[in-house]
Amino acid sequence: MAKTLGPVRRKFSPWNDPAAKPLIEFRSVVKRFGDFTAVDDVSLGIYEKEFFALLGPSGCGKTTLMRMLAGFEHPSEGSILLAGTDLEGKQPYERPVNMMFQSYALFPHMTVEKNIGFGLVMDKMPKADIETRVAEMLKLTKLEKFAKRKPHQLSGGQRQRVALARSLAKRPKVLLLDEPLGALDKKLREETQFELMDLQQQLGMTFLIVTHDQEEAMTVADRIAVMDHGKLIQVAGPSEIYERPNSRYVADFIGDINIVEGRVAAIEGTTIRIEASSPAVSLVVEDDEPTTLGATVWVAVRPEKVRIAHDAPADASINAVQGTVWDIAYVGDVSIYHVKIDGGGATIRATVANVSRTVERPIGWEDRVWLSWARSSGVVLTS
């Protein structure tokens, strides 16, 4: 069994405590729409105060799973529990959850403060209490000076915060976020991701976010569930998902990756030697992934772990290949090299951090280069 990578985020991991009980439980949940199975036998626990992400491409079932928790859809099979209570038969307004939609769904004729307080008015909360709660939400989301404005007078980021404040005003046990940052530009989206993280920890509330943006999920979530075709493929923390993917699908979906196919030639403890044919190279990986001699496996190596140089490494017999620079992308903080490897046409990517403004021997198009990586940099995948 692969070891975890440790608490690179906050020290919060109730899922590692056998005595801890999940706040939300999906038990063998299936959802069908006619002949189409949108969610396929999903069992999952989400803990109190956790920021959890459902991640996957469009149509993978992540939004359907969230909508069943909210009560907008109902399972075809299985059950969903919240704080130990089965939610079967409970209407959306009877559930202690609130959902923030991708479109924000603000009332255009209402001011910011009235939008935030709308749900409280519907719940017939006393007027004085509504005013107090709305003022609290305005302060929390830094919208005090926009209280009297209407949605069309706000920027996209401000409208997003109004929708968030309205969702939080009723103090639900769980806040559901359906692609909440999709309408924001890249810079604002990145800033808002950190605001969401800070807000969630400040409130001590359970957040469940649905997103197809891997970077967003990696930034905000304590754990991520990667989904495909209605199934959970891997559930783990961001570092575990990135550094120890459990399959080629997860490895390829999360970030950039180089994947080389080969056969296991030798196993000595945790050292696995793999002979690859395209490119023709001997690979050595330090990994405890269970495998057998002769088995077909795949070695995955992240581009930032690949060294690129004009000169051959000290030991060019393992984890080293030679090729020609085919493409270069300069993106400011890093440069990305696509290198066509000799004898087979495979392409391997290497990412180099631009730590200085000048390079003594810059690598350019059509240069002959060596690529190499450490034994601990690769991951062996069996599926």
Side-chain angles (χ1 to χ4, degrees), residues 158-178:
Q158 290 161 354
R159 288 196 294 271
Q160 187 266 348
R161 293 209 299 274
V162 175
L164 180 60
R166 185 179 61 185
S167 300
L168 293 170
K170 294 178 71 173
R171 293 181 178 167
K173 283 187 177 180
V174 182
L175 180 63
L176 309 178
L177 302 153
D178 184 13

Side-chain angles (χ1 to χ4, degrees), residues 245-248 251 259 287 289 296-300 379-383:
N246 66 358
S247 64
R248 283 176 290 159
I259 298 179
D287 199 350
E289 179 68 23
T296 297
V297 296
W298 294 264
V299 177
V379 178
V380 175
L381 306 173
T382 56
S383 63

Side-chain angles (χ1 to χ4, degrees), residues 251-362:
D252 193 46
F253 188 77
I254 304 292
D256 289 331
I257 195 99
N258 299 296
I259 298 179
V260 178
E261 183 178 343
R263 290 189 177 275
V264 176
I267 304 173
E268 295 179 13
T270 59
T271 302
I272 305 172
R273 184 165 62 83
I274 296 134
E275 296 298 333
S277 56
S278 182
V281 60
S282 181
L283 304 175
V284 176
V285 182
E286 291 292 339
D287 199 350
D288 50 10
E289 179 68 23
T291 187
T292 56
L293 286 174
T296 297
V297 296
W298 294 264
V299 177
V301 184
R302 298 288 180 188
E304 69 273 14
K305 294 175 171 56
V306 177
R307 295 187 293 269
I308 182 170
H310 287 108
D311 302 320
D315 182 2
S317 64
I318 57 168
N319 296 352
V321 290
Q322 193 172 21
T324 303
V325 176
W326 189 254
D327 273 321
I328 305 173
Y330 173 82
V331 291
D333 56 339
V334 299
S335 292
I336 304 167
Y337 295 88
H338 289 215
V339 179
K340 188 166 285 188
I341 305 306
D342 296 348
T347 298
I348 291 180
R349 296 186 297 278
T351 301
V352 179
N354 295 321
V355 295
S356 64
R357 294 176 59 196
T358 58
V359 179
E360 187 175 337
R361 289 182 64 195

